[in-house]
Amino acid sequence: MAVTRYPVGKLKKFLSEETDSYDAKIALNIISNVVFMSMIMTIAKSWAGQGQIDMSIFQRYLTLWLRNFGIAFCMQSLIVQPTARFAMRLVHSRQNQCVAVEEAE
């Protein structure tokens, strides 16, 4: 995600407005990250798998990219995002418990 941060930020600024809801901005962020990650995965995977930089990847790019997009989207929606939301819920609930204990003292 660090590699995709800059292009995703530019795309979000281009496609969203200040009046858009938080959920809309998060959805745009997720989809943009998946698109850029799948694009990078398609090229990097092919080059790493072949052990050399071969331009034949661009002849099959669209079919490979669609498969990688599907995989990345499923991973993001079924595993990564729910896990991250659960972890953040735990962190915030523990922070709230610490604040409640400090206020009680």
Side-chain angles (χ1 to χ4, degrees):
M1 298 253 302
V3 175
T4 63
R5 184 175 296 142
Y6 180 75
V8 167
K10 290 288 186 184
L11 184 64
K12 275 186 2 184
K13 284 182 184 178
F14 179 73
L15 293 177
S16 66
E17 297 179 7
E18 284 294 319
T19 57
D20 290 343
S21 70
Y22 177 77
D23 290 337
K25 289 180 182 180
I26 292 297
L28 179 61
N29 187 33
I30 292 169
I31 292 172
S32 301
N33 271 310
V34 169
V35 167
F36 283 108
M37 281 191 307
S38 63
M39 291 168 68
I40 292 169
M41 277 180 12
T42 301
I43 296 170
K45 177 195 66 90
S46 298
W47 286 344
Q50 295 174 358
Q52 63 182 356
I53 296 175
D54 186 11
M55 294 300 162
S56 68
I57 178 65
F58 296 107
Q59 295 171 346
R60 302 174 297 130
Y61 183 78
L62 187 61
T63 57
L64 294 173
W65 175 77
L66 287 172
R67 181 188 66 203
N68 287 339
F69 176 80
I71 292 168
F73 187 76
C74 287
M75 293 293 290
Q76 278 284 335
S77 61
L78 298 176
I79 298 172
V80 176
Q81 288 295 323
T83 305
R85 284 193 296 268
F86 178 72
M88 291 307 295
R89 192 175 326 134
L90 285 177
V91 167
H92 288 287
S93 68
R94 288 186 182 158
Q95 287 176 345
N96 290 340
Q97 287 174 355
C98 289
V99 169
V101 168
E102 288 175 1
E103 289 176 357
E105 294 175 350

